[in-house]
Amino acid sequence: MGAVGLLYVGAVLFINGLMLLGKVEPKAAGVFNLFVGALQVITPTVLVILNPADAAVVLGASGIYLFGFTYLYVGINLLGGFDSTGVGYFSLFVAVMALGYSFANFRILGDPAFGVIWLYWSFLWALFFVLLGLKRTRITRYTGWVTAIQGWVTAAIPAYMTLAGYWRDTRLFAIILAVFGVVVFAALWPLTRHREPAGAAPDEAEEPSRPDSERRHHPRWT
């Protein structure tokens, strides 16, 4: 993924994380999702057109579309107020494919740091599937924190370090990222289970006796 595009992936993940935490209004976040989604569709298209015979470039570009379509989908959903199920199940597809791109970075492209980063993204998009596809809104706060943190750790910081010429020892970065991810995301789970942001609804499966008109609805992606 190009460093410039990756920088703005960090920005949109940070914004979306804050939205899930109730700090950013959904339609305001939706506009920025469209900007970044368009960038992440145009960029790989140009790369493929200019380098059709370079298998490594085409492989790397193909993964960018996963993010571009995600952000366009999210932006349209937020601005249009549509149901989140489609985004949720597309996120499941992305989560599975991200495992393949992680393998490709480890074994084909020789970039273990981004091999770990793709594992981060697989985990995050799996959370999006549970939250948006399965409507398990009890993980809203946890998902918000993971999204905001990943915006910096997997995108903004690596992008800036790449642009500045400091992204060199990828094996060391891979170890640091792996340890950080396991420790921080495991620690966040109990810390975020005590309360959800205002407006988060309980899972519908947990309140079957209440009529639809009395159920609280999640105000963001659902």
Side-chain angles (χ1 to χ4, degrees):
M1 184 179 298
V4 175
L6 187 61
L7 184 67
Y8 292 99
V9 167
V12 77
L13 287 177
F14 180 61
I15 293 296
N16 288 348
L18 293 180
M19 179 188 65
L20 289 172
L21 293 170
K23 305 297 184 183
V24 174
E25 199 274 331
K27 288 190 176 181
V31 173
F32 193 63
N33 273 269
L34 293 182
F35 290 158
V36 178
L39 176 65
Q40 295 299 87
V41 169
I42 294 171
T43 298
T45 301
V46 172
L47 290 173
V48 171
I49 291 174
L50 295 179
N51 303 277
D54 191 327
V57 171
V58 173
L59 175 63
S62 66
I64 304 176
Y65 285 112
L66 295 173
F67 300 98
F69 290 141
T70 296
Y71 303 133
L72 288 175
Y73 207 161
V74 169
I76 293 170
N77 264 32
L78 291 173
L79 294 174
F82 302 122
D83 179 76
S84 68
T85 309
V87 176
Y89 278 89
F90 178 67
S91 296
L92 174 61
F93 175 81
V94 175
V96 173
M97 290 304 303
L99 296 176
Y101 284 97
S102 173
F103 175 82
N105 275 271
F106 279 119
R107 298 298 300 272
I108 300 174
L109 301 177
D111 191 341
F114 269 90
V116 174
I117 286 174
W118 275 100
L119 291 177
Y120 269 72
W121 290 334
S122 179
F123 173 60
L124 179 59
W125 263 254
L127 290 177
F128 292 155
F129 163 64
V130 174
L131 175 63
L132 306 176
L134 301 182
K135 310 286 190 176
R136 297 297 188 261
T137 55
R138 287 201 169 199
I139 69 166
T140 300
R141 187 170 179 80
Y142 179 75
T143 305
W145 276 107
V146 173
T147 305
I149 291 170
Q150 285 210 22
W152 291 99
V153 175
T154 70
I157 294 174
Y160 177 79
M161 292 181 69
T162 300
L163 292 169
Y166 293 116
W167 192 259
R168 295 171 182 168
D169 192 345
T170 59
R171 291 186 181 277
L172 175 61
F173 290 140
I175 294 171
I176 294 172
L177 286 165
V179 172
F180 178 88
V182 171
V183 172
V184 172
F185 297 147
L188 274 175
W189 180 253
L191 295 175
T192 56
R193 296 294 288 171
H194 295 97
R195 65 185 181 88
E196 289 293 336
D203 296 340
E204 291 186 5
E206 295 182 3
E207 45 177 5
S209 62
R210 298 179 63 183
D212 290 342
S213 61
E214 294 180 5
R215 291 181 183 174
R216 292 174 295 162
H217 293 279
H218 195 283
R220 298 177 181 87
W221 289 8
T222 53

